[in-house]
């Protein structure tokens, strides 16, 4: 299959894989696949070929991840900032996308066999219409598969994603589905393009750059960040193992930091809810420190009502997104 | 004072805003103070200090005292006062004699600040003063308050063994260079300056 290279690990690779798998393994790895153009320059070939080999490397890396039991991978394929590149290069990348997504659709049987769910995340209306249609078909065709997940960030930046999430919540308020006080970190999480995925455990950037370049800024706040100097088209199984080892070395510190962050978040939400309940009780004329049973009931009630509103809103959001893809498919049918 | 400024000028580029991020569990006030003072001496205009437990923020007066002490000791600068801003609080310091500004940050200045901005915007929408389509990247950027007046960090110096930003200003670090140093404990000026040197050498393509 063109997007996931066929083949198993060599004996040595399998040996190392077994050693690594004795420790904690990331469930979701994100890649900034940087270095295609520098690779092309180094090998004295056209940039387009650099990108093409970059894609081959992606297919190979996905195979390694599956061999290692890593079920979810997110990649930064095209940034909104990349539209600033030369017309020639942008067109070349769009053509590559057309080619690869078309190929993907021809391999439906394989996708089904491997159970690959493809998601494309980004400001898709910025893309040429025919690519949007191809993407919609790929996404809809694979949406119920669940053996492994590939998220392709295309026409994406993290700031656009976060702004979009806030805009959706504002839309929810406008529609009467949400109260402003329902807005929280956890709700924002559920409005991001990545809402069906856990946060990446590990973010890998190749080519030696040490920045995030507007990729998954919200989701990687507590992820293990590994910067490797190898150029993407030259990425090897050993580079991947090296990154996973770093993840393992950081594992307990990051677990601890994440847990204490979530604990603090829960505590603050509870505090806000208690304040709300206090105000409500005062309105009702009760002493604010009085009847603890009344307080508990009110707290439960306000939490339950909020949950209900949020479920309704998230369902509406899900419908809106599914609609977008379905409409694109009927256009091309 | 001359020597430090000259060092700064010798670099191909100097960051405008440096984030000093400590991932070690036990932060050292003296060492952090040295780092802050070196940043200011070298000519970095904006400095932020961060640890994911919010220890520096909770004990900011202790940090300030240490910084004042180091300033006088190391540099003998006649600018003994500087503006100190604490995100989301009203405490501002005295007269600005130094060209540098300091902020002490914690996780509440990260995601929580974005959520607060989102809540405020949604409040305006509920009052029909705004519609959801009014909100784009620039509008949201302007609604954030944790780094009022500060540009985005160009550089983060990350100290300690943890390979993560641990919640430091997620929105603002989209293009920030992240340079890691093993520890802030007993950090030397040479180590600090060598990191600045490393930063000066990096090439930024801005997506092009």
């Amino acid at each position: 299959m063109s997007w996931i290279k066929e083949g198993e690990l060599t004996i040595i690779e399998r040996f190392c894989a077994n050693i690594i798998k004795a420790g904690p393994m990331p469930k979701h790895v994100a890649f900034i696949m940087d270095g295609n153009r520098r690779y092309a320059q180094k090998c004295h070939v056209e940039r387009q070929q650099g990108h093409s080999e970059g894609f081959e490397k992606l297919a190979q890396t996905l195979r390694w991840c599956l061999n290692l039991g890593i079920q979810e991978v997110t990649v930064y394929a095209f940034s909104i900032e990349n539209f600033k590149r030369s017309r020639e290069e942008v067109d070349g990348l769009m053509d590559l996308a057309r080619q690869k997504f078309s190929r993907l659709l021809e391999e439906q049987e394989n996708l089904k066999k491997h159970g690959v769910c493809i998601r494309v995340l980004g400001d898709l209306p910025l893309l040429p219409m025919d690519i949007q249609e191809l993407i919609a078909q790929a996404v809809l065709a694979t949406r119920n598969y669940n053996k492994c997940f590939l998220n392709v960030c295309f026409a994406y930046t993290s700031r656009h994603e976060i702004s979009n999430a806030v805009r959706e919540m504002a839309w929810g308020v406008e529609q009467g589905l949400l109260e402003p006080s329902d807005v929280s970190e956890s709700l924002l999480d559920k409005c991001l393009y990545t809402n069906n995925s856990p946060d990446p455990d590990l973010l890998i950037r190749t080519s030696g750059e040490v920045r995030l370049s507007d990729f998954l800024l919200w989701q990687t706040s507590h992820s293990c960040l590994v910067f490797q100097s190898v150029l993407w088209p030259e990425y090897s199984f050993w580079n991947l193992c090296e990154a996973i080892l770093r993840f393992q070395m950081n594992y307990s510190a990051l677990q601890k930091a994440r847990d204490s962050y979530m604990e603090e978040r829960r505590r603050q939400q509870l505090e806000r809810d208690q304040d709300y309940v206090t105000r409500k009780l005062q309105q009702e004329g009760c002493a604010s420190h009085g009847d603890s049973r009344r307080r508990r009931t009110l707290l439960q009630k306000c939490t339950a009502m909020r949950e209900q509103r949020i479920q309704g809103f998230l369902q509406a959001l899900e419908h809106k997104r599914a609609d977008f893809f379905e409409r694109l498919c009927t256009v091309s049918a | 004072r001359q020597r430090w400024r000259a060092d700064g000028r010798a670099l191909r580029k100097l960051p405008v805003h440096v984030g000093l991020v400590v991932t070690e569990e036990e932060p050292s006030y003296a060492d952090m103070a040295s780092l802050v003072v070196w940043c200011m001496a070298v000519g970095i205009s904006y400095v932020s200090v961060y640890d994911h437990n919010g220890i520096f923020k909770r004990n900011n007066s202790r940090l300030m005292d240490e910084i004042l002490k180091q300033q006088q000791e190391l540099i003998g600068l006649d600018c003994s006062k500087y503006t100190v801003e604490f995100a989301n609080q009203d405490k501002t310091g005295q007269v600005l004699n130094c060209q540098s500004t300091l902020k002490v940050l914690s996780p509440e200045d990260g995601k929580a600040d974005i959520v607060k901005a989102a809540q405020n915007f949604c409040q305006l929408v509920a009052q029909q003063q705004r519609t959801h389509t009014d909100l784009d990247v620039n509008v949201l950027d302007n609604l954030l308050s944790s780094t009022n007046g500060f540009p985005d960090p160009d550089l983060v110096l990350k100290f300690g063994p943890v390979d993560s930003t641990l919640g430091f200003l997620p929105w603002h670090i989209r293009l920030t260079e992240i340079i890691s140093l093993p520890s802030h404990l007993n950090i030397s000026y040479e180590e600090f300056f060598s990191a600045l040197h490393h930063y000066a050498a990096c090439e930024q393509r801005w997506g092009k």
Side-chain angles (χ1 to χ4, degrees):
Chain A
M1 198 189 107
S2 60
W3 282 57
I4 301 183
K5 195 156 178 203
E6 291 298 331
E8 297 303 319
L9 297 177
T10 65
I11 294 187
I12 299 182
E13 287 170 351
R14 218 177 314 147
F15 180 69
C16 287
N18 285 333
I19 295 180
I20 288 194
K21 277 156 95 167
M25 289 296 282
K27 299 185 183 56
H28 178 185
V29 179
F31 289 92
I32 300 179
M33 309 178 290
D34 200 5
N36 292 340
R37 295 183 296 174
R38 270 166 285 170
Y39 170 80
Q41 202 170 36
K42 182 171 143 181
C43 299
H44 309 293
V45 296
E46 290 296 310
R47 279 185 167 180
Q48 190 56 17
Q49 192 176 333
H51 290 308
S52 195
E53 294 197 35
F55 182 85
E56 292 312 308
K57 187 52 65 172
L58 170 61
Q60 192 172 42
T61 304
L62 291 176
R63 165 54 54 190
W64 291 330
C65 286
L66 287 180
N67 290 138
L68 289 167
I70 296 167
Q71 263 195 309
E72 185 147 19
V73 172
T74 301
V75 298
Y76 202 3
F78 192 84
S79 164
I80 294 179
E81 300 296 325
N82 296 151
F83 280 119
K84 290 192 280 191
R85 294 183 179 183
S86 71
R87 179 69 188 271
E88 191 193 334
E89 191 177 342
V90 175
D91 285 347
L93 287 165
M94 291 298 137
D95 275 336
L96 188 62
R98 265 182 203 101
Q99 207 189 96
K100 297 306 175 186
F101 277 109
S102 304
R103 216 23 230 294
L104 189 75
L105 290 170
E106 289 163 14
E107 294 170 342
Q108 301 256 16
E109 280 313 304
N110 258 318
L111 286 169
K112 189 168 177 181
K113 171 173 138 208
H114 289 98
V116 189
C117 174
I118 308 257
R119 300 181 192 118
V120 180
L121 318 176
D123 220 333
L124 303 183
L126 291 174
L127 296 167
M129 200 51 164
D130 67 313
I131 294 190
Q132 288 186 53
E133 287 163 14
L134 286 170
I135 287 174
Q137 284 175 54
V139 167
L140 287 176
T142 61
R143 79 173 141 184
N144 293 318
Y145 300 150
N146 60 7
K147 283 224 283 252
C148 62
F149 303 90
L150 172 60
N151 308 306
V152 183
C153 290
F154 211 75
Y156 172 95
T157 72
S158 189
R159 283 193 179 185
H160 277 80
E161 182 187 23
I162 296 170
S163 309
N164 178 262
V166 176
R167 205 165 36 235
E168 298 288 24
M169 292 190 292
W171 170 77
V173 169
E174 238 166 66
Q175 298 290 310
L177 296 166
L178 285 178
E179 305 274 314
S181 60
D182 295 336
V183 171
S184 67
E185 261 183 61
S186 86
L187 184 60
L188 205 156
D189 271 330
K190 300 193 179 90
C191 295
L192 296 169
Y193 298 137
T194 57
N195 62 357
N196 289 316
S197 306
D199 288 339
D201 305 280
L202 172 59
L203 168 59
I204 297 170
R205 180 173 190 151
T206 53
S207 90
E209 305 298 344
V210 292
R211 52 186 181 259
L212 300 171
S213 297
D214 220 339
F215 183 58
L216 301 179
L217 300 172
W218 178 279
Q219 298 89 330
T220 59
S221 64
H222 287 78
S223 306
C224 180
L225 304 179
V226 175
F227 298 108
Q228 296 178 292
S229 54
V230 60
L231 299 174
W232 177 252
E234 296 174 326
Y235 204 68
S236 75
F237 181 73
W238 311 112
N239 293 133
L240 181 58
C241 289
E242 190 192 357
I244 294 173
L245 278 169
R246 290 225 75 147
F247 162 80
Q248 292 181 336
M249 287 180 342
N250 278 275
Y251 184 73
S252 7
L254 286 177
Q255 263 313 100
K256 185 164 167 231
R258 234 179 264 129
D259 288 343
S260 82
Y261 182 83
M262 291 306 282
E263 188 48 51
E264 180 59 22
R265 195 165 106 171
R266 260 190 297 268
R267 194 193 64 81
Q268 283 180 7
Q269 181 66 56
L270 187 58
E271 211 175 84
R272 274 195 298 271
D273 289 346
Q274 294 281 21
D275 286 345
Y276 174 80
V277 165
T278 306
R279 279 197 305 276
K280 267 247 113 122
L281 286 174
Q282 281 170 348
Q283 277 173 13
E284 290 176 0
C286 307
S288 59
H289 55 266
D291 200 345
S292 71
R293 184 144 46 117
R294 174 91 188 110
R295 167 171 277 275
R296 228 187 348 245
T297 319
L298 209 52
L299 190 64
Q300 268 166 4
K301 184 166 159 224
C302 99
T303 312
M305 280 172 54
R306 179 174 60 222
E307 251 326 285
Q308 226 176 15
R309 283 194 299 270
I310 288 176
Q311 283 317 308
F313 162 71
L314 290 176
Q315 259 170 31
L317 182 58
E318 199 50 49
H319 279 146
K320 204 161 65 141
R321 288 181 172 171
D323 257 354
F324 169 78
F325 286 114
E326 271 152 25
R327 246 176 293 129
L328 278 169
C329 277
T330 52
V331 164
S332 58
Chain B
R1 186 204 299 219
Q2 301 294 72
R3 178 217 161 169
W4 315 87
R5 288 282 158 159
D7 279 351
R9 270 193 292 270
L11 292 170
R12 191 172 73 90
K13 62 180 183 203
L14 198 61
V16 177
H17 172 187
V18 172
L20 302 168
V21 174
V22 171
T23 69
E24 292 149 292
E25 286 298 308
E26 303 268 343
S28 152
Y29 295 87
D31 291 308
M32 182 49 75
S34 303
L35 284 161
V36 171
V37 167
W38 292 333
C39 284
M40 293 178 167
V42 138
I44 293 167
S45 314
Y46 301 91
V47 181
S48 47
V49 169
Y50 178 91
D51 71 286
H52 69 286
N53 292 313
I55 296 175
F56 281 130
K57 198 177 211 173
R58 276 197 301 277
N59 299 284
N60 58 68
S61 45
R62 186 168 158 196
L63 181 62
M64 292 312 124
D65 289 343
E66 198 59 51
I67 290 174
L68 269 172
K69 189 170 127 198
Q70 300 255 6
Q71 248 183 339
Q72 276 151 18
E73 266 176 32
L74 295 187
I75 302 176
L77 284 171
D78 51 4
C79 64
S80 55
K81 297 197 171 104
Y82 48 87
T83 303
V84 173
E85 297 186 48
F86 303 94
N88 303 324
Q89 290 172 39
D90 277 321
K91 277 195 256 175
T92 37
Q94 302 299 313
V95 174
L96 176 66
N97 266 345
C98 246
Q99 269 98 26
S100 300
T101 321
L102 170 71
K103 263 197 209 289
V104 183
L105 303 174
S106 72
E108 78 192 13
D109 301 301
K111 288 185 178 179
D113 192 46
I114 297 173
V115 170
K116 209 170 297 158
Q119 273 169 349
N120 292 340
F121 184 79
C122 286
Q123 192 58 41
L124 293 173
V125 166
Q127 292 161 350
Q128 304 194 322
Q129 290 179 40
R130 291 277 187 287
T131 68
H132 75 282
T133 49
D134 289 335
L135 190 109
D136 63 17
V137 174
N138 290 325
V139 169
L140 185 53
D141 193 40
N142 288 326
L143 287 173
L144 299 176
S145 63
S146 58
T147 55
N148 265 340
F150 271 43
D152 292 340
D154 322 69
L155 171 64
V156 155
L157 294 182
K158 185 177 71 61
F159 302 92
V162 184
D163 293 317
S164 167
T165 53
L166 295 178
F168 175 70
L169 298 181
W171 173 273
H172 302 82
I173 57 169
R174 72 176 168 125
L175 297 175
T176 307
E177 300 292 320
I178 302 169
I179 293 180
S180 299
L181 289 144
S183 174
H184 73 300
L185 303 173
N186 299 312
I187 184 102
S188 71
Y189 175 76
E190 283 68 40
E191 283 172 85
F192 162 77
F193 193 74
S194 135
L196 286 185
H197 209 269
H198 193 29
Y199 167 79
C202 75
E203 187 208 338
Q204 287 162 310
R205 290 177 296 277
W206 314 100
K208 286 210 279 277

